[in-house]
Amino acid sequence: MSDFPTDLQIARAAAIRPITEIAEAAGINAAALEPYGRYKAKIDPALLDAPGPAGKVVLVSAMSPTPAGEGKSTTTVGLADSLARAGHKVMIALREPSLGPILGMKGGATGGGYSQVLPMDEINLHFTGDFHALTSANNALMALVDNHIYQGNELDIDPRRMTFKRVLDMNDRALREVVIGLGGPTQGVPRQDGFDITVASEVMAVFCLATDLADLRDRLGRITFGYTYARRPVTVADLKVQGVLTLLLKDAIRPNLVQTIAGTPALVHGGPFANIAHGCNSLIATQTARRLADIVVTEAGFGADLGAEKYMDIKARTGGVAPSAVVVVATVRALKMQGGVARDQLTRPDLAALEAGVANLRRHVRNVEKFGVPPVVAINRFSSDTQEELDWLLAWCAAEGVPAAVADVWGHGGGGAGGDELAALVAQALTEPTSFRHLYPLDMPVEEKIRTIAQEIYGADGVDFSVPALKRLADIERNGWGNLPVCMAKTQYSFTDDATRLGAPKGFTIHVRDLLPKTGAGFIVALTGAVMTMPGLPPEPAALRMDVDDAGNPVGLA
């Protein structure tokens, strides 16, 4: 397979259709469509024709991610293409890629092989400018806050108790901790500050959970950015700037329409991290897709312990978009790595390692069942997989009572025959009754919600709260935020808060070091382990391979 074309080569060779044709085929009327060039557009949901019955949602999740690769986005695209090939009216809803990880380790985030969304280079770079608008809105808030302090501080804001940071859509560890306002009296009030990556901003979370423009304004107004000297929460509404933040986001809030290589319509919109925030595309995009299609294929970030749990307990609770089926993506390579095989040995057949690593997949599948939704396992095929290994994994799934299929959507695409068997299993799952339920009620104390997630989803023995976290729990109850759901900030690589513990560990404790109330988004973030809100770049960033040729075409964007 070494001579197989790269993702970028495949994307550039694809016969991409004008976005007006994709919109027409999807039932999007001209009044609701705002083209951004020939191949992408924004949709105004308020101008869509009256909808029919809401489509069913298929949520694509995965086992715990590894450097071996799982291919969740590739499977999402291939599955949707295969469902469309089978005659279903389908639409995809995906997150927008974050530029920092693309230039860091990922290299691209629009699927792979012959299961991609197009135009992949534009989506991976600046796209329609949504992330720039979000960055501007976030930083406008902080400029207005620091100006308020400088101009007399009528709200009595304590600069030492600021809980909101400036953001940048770039992995830049040098900005994690900074000091601002230096240089004399005219330069502002000096204070310690820092930057998060844009996708970790609460503005991003608000953007992705808002149901419309009015709800966006209300949620922005509820954001708590700091505390007074008397330790009273201070909100954006107290500063009276929710209007200007909404103004900066008025165009970005409209979902972006693109297409797959096979021509399936896709909404790519919003993108909070799943190990810091709730890891799902915008609620507006998912709701819009349900108005336009009978089946909506969407995904949640990282493994089912993170993105899928947050989809069920945060997004579905907020917007009524409960899934009717969940696809759990697994690969033979990743399962062998979960079973203890080194990355450079994964191409060697090893049934013993596969058997040892499959405990990770079992825990994710059983966790999905706790929400009352039927799981389907998608075995994303790699060229190094042996038929013996694939047959063993299929037999294991059958013994566990879980429908499973091998999908070769990377090599053959969903528009070909690569995902037909998986699509048939998912279509069958959508005909079965569900009894969707959340993991916990909102009136459960925050401490117990965290324990429930840790024990039921991660398999932990218990939870240890640091002294600062215990103090924050008391603050949360005192301020009336106890009925909010919990968003766990945890490493994606392990069920524990230690990224090195693979498989399905037992006998461990989750360590909560702090709690961050996100009163605009409407959830409490529980920080565990060493999760950071501003990633760094690796020793050899993907950016080193990227360029542009003399004709203006991108190079090295994998």
Side-chain angles (χ1 to χ4, degrees):
M1 299 291 285
S2 59
D3 58 348
F4 199 85
T6 67
D7 290 348
L8 183 57
Q9 289 170 334
I10 292 171
R12 289 178 61 182
I16 187 167
R17 296 163 57 189
I19 200 63
T20 50
E21 292 183 11
I22 299 296
E24 183 178 3
I28 300 168
N29 53 296
L33 193 72
E34 183 181 355
Y36 274 52
R38 295 189 66 195
Y39 303 119
K40 55 187 187 290
K42 280 193 168 289
I43 300 172
D44 187 344
L47 297 179
L48 288 171
D49 294 335
K56 292 186 175 181
V57 174
V58 176
L59 177 65
V60 179
S61 187
M63 58 179 286
S64 299
T66 70
E70 288 70 50
K72 189 163 69 267
S73 295
T74 301
T75 303
T76 298
V77 175
L79 170 60
D81 285 342
S82 295
L83 287 166
R85 168 182 159 91
H88 300 282
K89 189 174 184 181
V90 183
M91 184 167 275
I92 298 170
L94 291 174
R95 294 178 295 166
E96 296 180 51
S98 175
L99 190 58
I102 286 170
L103 300 187
M105 292 183 66
K106 294 190 75 169
T110 54
Y114 288 95
S115 291
Q116 298 186 56
V117 284
L118 305 175
M120 72 89 84
D121 55 330
E122 296 179 30
I123 296 170
N124 277 315
L125 297 176
H126 304 291
F127 201 19
T128 56
D130 294 347
F131 279 23
H132 299 307
L134 285 155
T135 301
S136 295
N138 185 107
N139 294 345
L141 169 60
M142 294 317 296
L144 290 161
V145 167
D146 281 302
N147 182 63
H148 180 90
I149 295 172
Y150 174 75
Q151 301 292 354
N153 200 5
E154 181 181 346
L155 291 174
D156 206 30
I157 300 166
D158 186 346
R160 303 166 303 173
R161 293 192 171 91
M162 205 72 69
T163 58
F164 212 86
K165 294 183 178 181
R166 289 164 169 83
V167 298
L168 188 70
D169 190 29
M170 186 57 55
N171 295 10
D172 193 348
R173 60 172 53 85
L175 294 178
R176 288 172 184 163
E177 299 290 341
V178 301
V179 178
I180 63 172
L182 300 179
T186 63
Q187 309 303 320
V189 178
R191 67 177 179 88
Q192 185 173 350
D193 198 8
F195 279 73
D196 291 335
I197 193 167
T198 296
V199 289
S201 168
E202 186 176 357
V203 175
M204 173 66 84
V206 164
F207 180 88
C208 287
L209 288 171
T211 55
D212 54 30
L213 201 62
D215 186 42
L216 176 66
R217 182 185 295 105
D218 289 343
R219 286 177 176 273
L220 289 169
R222 295 200 299 268
I223 290 175
T224 299
F225 61 79
Y227 295 82
T228 67
Y229 284 101
R231 302 195 180 187
R232 181 186 68 81
V234 190
T235 67
V236 170
D238 292 331
L239 200 61
K240 298 181 175 62
V241 297
Q242 65 268 39
V244 69
L245 304 189
T246 307
L247 176 64
L248 290 170
L249 298 173
K250 70 177 182 64
D251 296 319
I253 197 66
R254 297 173 181 172
N256 306 300
L257 176 68
V258 289
Q259 63 189 285
T260 70
I261 289 176
T264 304
L267 298 181
V268 179
H269 194 228
F273 270 3
N275 60 347
I276 296 168
H278 65 289
C280 306
N281 66 270
S282 78
L283 180 57
I284 288 177
T286 304
Q287 291 174 328
T288 300
R290 293 186 74 200
R291 293 176 61 180
L292 295 164
D294 298 327
I295 300 175
V296 177
V297 184
T298 189
E299 73 172 51
F302 296 132
D305 58 323
L306 287 170
E309 184 274 319
K310 295 170 185 180
Y311 185 100
M312 309 293 194
D313 284 322
I314 297 175
K315 181 174 179 175
R317 198 189 308 255
T318 299
V321 289
S324 297
V326 175
V327 174
V328 182
V329 179
T331 67
V332 168
R333 290 166 53 93
L335 287 170
K336 287 192 291 189
M337 196 165 193
Q338 293 288 347
V341 175
R343 186 177 182 181
D344 60 0
Q345 300 295 313
L346 291 175
T347 58
R348 292 185 177 183
D350 193 336
L351 288 178
L354 184 58
E355 184 174 0
V358 83
N360 183 273
L361 178 58
R362 177 188 287 114
R363 185 172 293 178
H364 284 295
V365 167
R366 298 305 171 215
N367 283 344
V368 168
E369 293 173 339
K370 292 178 180 180
F371 295 96
V373 183
V376 176
V377 171
I379 304 171
N380 183 23
R381 184 170 194 162
F382 277 63
S383 59
S384 61
D385 299 343
T386 68
Q387 192 60 48
E388 185 180 19
E389 289 172 323
L390 294 171
D391 288 344
W392 186 94
L393 188 51
L394 286 169
W396 178 88
C397 290
E400 292 285 325
V402 182
V406 175
D408 191 2
V409 294
W410 181 84
H412 297 286
D420 286 357
E421 187 178 353
L422 175 62
L425 291 179
V426 170
Q428 176 60 38
L430 292 177
T431 67
E432 299 173 3
T434 61
S435 54
F436 177 76
R437 54 189 174 269
H438 304 296
L439 192 65
Y440 53 80
L442 289 181
D443 59 2
M444 178 184 285
V446 171
E447 182 176 354
E448 289 308 308
K449 292 172 189 169
I450 295 171
R451 292 188 193 280
T452 298
I453 296 171
Q455 293 172 338
E456 291 293 322
I457 301 299
Y458 307 156
D461 289 342
V463 179
D464 175 61
F465 292 88
S466 70
V467 172
L470 290 172
K471 291 180 179 178
R472 194 81 73 178
L473 279 171
D475 291 341
I476 287 168
E477 293 301 324
R478 183 171 60 253
N479 289 318
W481 300 329
N483 283 346
L484 296 178
V486 168
C487 181
M488 298 294 290
K490 181 184 71 67
T491 176
Q492 65 269 31
Y493 297 115
S494 173
F495 282 109
T496 75
D497 53 22
D498 177 356
T500 65
R501 296 191 64 179
L502 304 184
K506 296 180 180 179
F508 65 91
T509 299
I510 293 292
H511 304 277
V512 176
R513 72 175 194 265
D514 204 356
L515 297 166
L516 305 177
K518 304 293 184 178
T519 52
F523 53 68
I524 306 294
V525 175
L527 292 172
T528 71
V531 168
M532 292 185 175
T533 53
M534 171 55 87
L537 292 169
E540 294 187 12
L544 299 180
R545 302 187 296 271
M546 297 178 185
D547 203 340
V548 61
D549 64 22
D550 291 341
N553 298 308
V555 175
L557 189 60

